[in-house]
Amino acid sequence: MSKINWSRRSVMLGAAALPMIRMVSAKPGPPAVVISSANRFDGGVNCCAKAMELIKAGADTLDAVVAGVNIVELDPRDSSVGYGGLPNEDGVVQLDSSVVHGPSRRMGAVGAIEGIKTPSKVAKRVMEDTDHMMLVGAGALKFAKAEGFQEENLLTEESRLQWLVWKRSQRDRDGHSNWGPGLDAPPEPPKTANLEELKREFPWASDELLLEAIQNAYHPPHGTINCIALNEKGEMSAVTTTSGLAWKISGRVGDSPIVGGGLWLDQDVGGAGSTGRGEENLRVCGAHTVVENMRRGMAPKEAVLDALERVARNFNQDRKRLEAIDLKFYALRKDGEYAGASLWNKSSVEARQVAQFAVCTTDGGSRQENAVFLYARSS
Ligand code: ASP
């Protein structure tokens, strides 16, 4: 082909492409959407609102979701995330977090990190400033300090009280606890934590806190925040951050910092995350499963319910055993469609609470919506 012919062809092709280019640029992008777990004290609603505010101002989607979850990490009232999180069996708060940045397809995570209020920011630095994916324990703290993070005591008086109540509840088969009266004291019948007794011991604590402590001693709670965002350019990012399972063995890492388990995102398809019993989520590689379900054509709602069905299958659908498990999945597809799903319609501990998640859209503001669920509790 001669040079002249080739350039003529290019000019012709170029001219033919012009209307197409106009069409492409006129095609509207997806709507901006942020979703998250619900969390207490309006944690999820505030998180989504903050992330959306930053997205509207043109911020990167990962900066937006991290700023959103920072509100919850720094709130000592949420005892499942960051500062004020319930500690491990040694009374030490150990935090887990992971982040995924859709546009660069990069990820970072920290596991069992101590002394840093905002582990999500450390996970982001692992992604940005190292060629590693995940740092844990003492190494993660050393890295955070080198990056300028301040080491602080994360155990609040309220969380310490809850830990002490749990310690007291631990008894051997004779009903003895080293955290009760000494071995030389007259024998006492085994007892469960008693509100009046605790009121005398912790006169500064509210009844609400003491009742929560008793509840949490016998049913170790979970709690986490997961947040996923989509902007109008189709860019997506996500984060999960938690103090994990209360009273866990030191060094236990749940699903939250495991990329593919507690968090996964491929912005060609969408993102997903999870809160609840991390061990059961890891057995189905939940967040990755949800995204792959959407890749194969399932709507977000079907995708999250399918992942929960896999969890139920691991127990042969035995509802009696499954009743002890709280687990939720959240999914946001690249076109803005989203869903939240829970194994049960209500939580096992706060039985009055209907399973919900938070969402913020440009037209609807930040709010909680009911999640779909696999099973309904009888009471
Ligand atoms: N998924 C977290 C974990 O297992 C806890 C939770 O979300 O409740 O560590």
Side-chain angles (χ1 to χ4, degrees):
M1 189 190 297
S2 77
K3 251 188 174 169
I4 291 173
N5 274 350
W6 173 245
S7 70
R8 260 197 209 136
R9 182 175 289 208
S10 318
V11 168
M12 279 165 62
L13 267 175
L18 267 179
M20 283 260 298
I21 289 165
R22 233 176 277 126
M23 256 176 62
V24 169
S25 64
K27 190 174 163 262
V33 180
V34 182
I35 66 167
S36 84
S37 45
N39 293 73
R40 295 164 74 194
F41 310 106
D42 285 331
V45 169
N46 293 336
C47 163
C48 290
K50 178 74 188 172
M52 181 60 87
E53 178 195 318
L54 291 173
I55 284 171
K56 278 188 186 162
D60 176 75
T61 46
L62 185 56
D63 289 335
V65 290
V66 168
V69 300
N70 286 166
I71 297 173
V72 180
E73 288 177 324
L74 294 169
D75 185 345
R77 294 172 306 165
D78 190 319
S79 60
S80 71
V81 179
Y83 175 50
L86 294 177
N88 64 18
E89 65 177 1
D90 301 330
V92 177
V93 182
Q94 289 189 327
L95 306 174
D96 300 335
S97 181
S98 58
V99 298
V100 181
H101 184 239
S104 62
R105 301 186 189 281
R106 288 181 65 82
M107 299 142 199
V110 285
I113 187 172
E114 297 173 11
I116 305 291
K117 285 181 172 171
T118 52
S120 63
K121 282 189 174 174
V122 186
K124 186 166 175 277
R125 291 287 182 89
V126 172
M127 181 195 92
E128 289 166 344
D129 295 352
T130 79
D131 70 351
H132 301 346
M133 173 80 93
M134 185 178 194
L135 297 178
V136 302
L141 174 59
K142 191 171 157 199
F143 168 78
K145 282 161 73 177
E147 290 273 321
F149 287 83
Q150 204 188 330
E151 186 179 1
E152 292 171 89
N153 176 18
L154 305 186
L155 192 66
T156 56
E157 270 311 298
E158 287 77 7
S159 290
R160 199 178 73 84
L161 177 154
Q162 296 215 36
W163 174 70
L164 282 172
V165 172
W166 169 74
K167 273 287 195 192
R168 259 147 240 225
S169 73
Q170 300 302 292
R171 289 171 187 278
D172 65 20
R173 66 173 68 160
D174 300 322
H176 176 257
S177 163
N178 284 333
W179 290 74
L183 283 172
D184 51 355
E188 276 187 290
K191 57 181 180 195
T192 50
N194 170 302
L195 182 62
E196 291 312 314
E197 208 176 284
L198 289 176
K199 270 167 127 168
R200 280 195 293 279
E201 201 173 337
F202 303 102
W204 56 271
S206 66
D207 283 11
E208 196 191 349
L209 173 61
L210 294 174
L211 287 169
E212 185 178 327
I214 295 170
Q215 167 115 299
N216 288 343
Y218 295 98
H219 305 281
H222 292 264
T224 294
I225 186 157
N226 163 250
C227 181
I228 314 169
L230 165 72
N231 70 13
E232 288 177 351
K233 289 188 266 179
E235 294 168 341
M236 299 188 76
S237 290
V239 58
T240 301
T241 177
T242 189
S243 54
L245 177 66
W247 336 132
K248 61 195 173 186
I249 297 172
S250 176
R252 179 264 190 189
V253 164
D255 58 331
S256 305
I258 307 297
V259 171
L263 186 72
W264 182 250
L265 184 140
D266 175 345
Q267 69 174 28
D268 297 348
V269 179
S274 179
T275 60
R277 177 84 192 165
E279 282 74 5
E280 295 317 323
N281 174 25
L282 287 172
R283 280 189 241 276
V284 299
C285 217
H288 186 263
T289 295
V290 171
V291 173
E292 291 308 301
N293 279 347
M294 293 195 289
R295 192 192 302 277
R296 287 200 308 274
M298 284 188 200
K301 213 175 275 181
E302 288 176 87
V304 282
L305 283 171
D306 174 77
L308 289 170
E309 268 161 18
R310 294 184 195 211
V311 174
R313 179 211 54 196
N314 287 350
F315 289 79
N316 296 321
Q317 284 85 21
D318 179 343
R319 292 195 188 200
K320 205 76 232 114
R321 291 177 67 209
L322 284 163
E323 272 206 14
I325 298 168
D326 283 316
L327 188 63
K328 293 195 185 95
F329 288 115
Y330 313 91
L332 176 58
R333 203 168 57 185
K334 65 172 183 173
D335 62 355
E337 195 171 321
Y338 58 84
S342 175
L343 185 60
W344 292 96
N345 61 335
K346 294 172 184 174
S347 128
S348 61
V349 272
E350 293 156 298
R352 279 162 301 141
Q353 268 188 14
V354 174
Q356 290 193 316
F357 65 105
V359 56
C360 187
T361 49
T362 40
D363 47 355
S366 201
R367 64 214 181 249
Q368 283 190 193
E369 290 187 7
N370 286 348
V372 290
F373 53 86
L374 202 57
Y375 299 127
R377 288 191 194 278
S378 43
S379 55

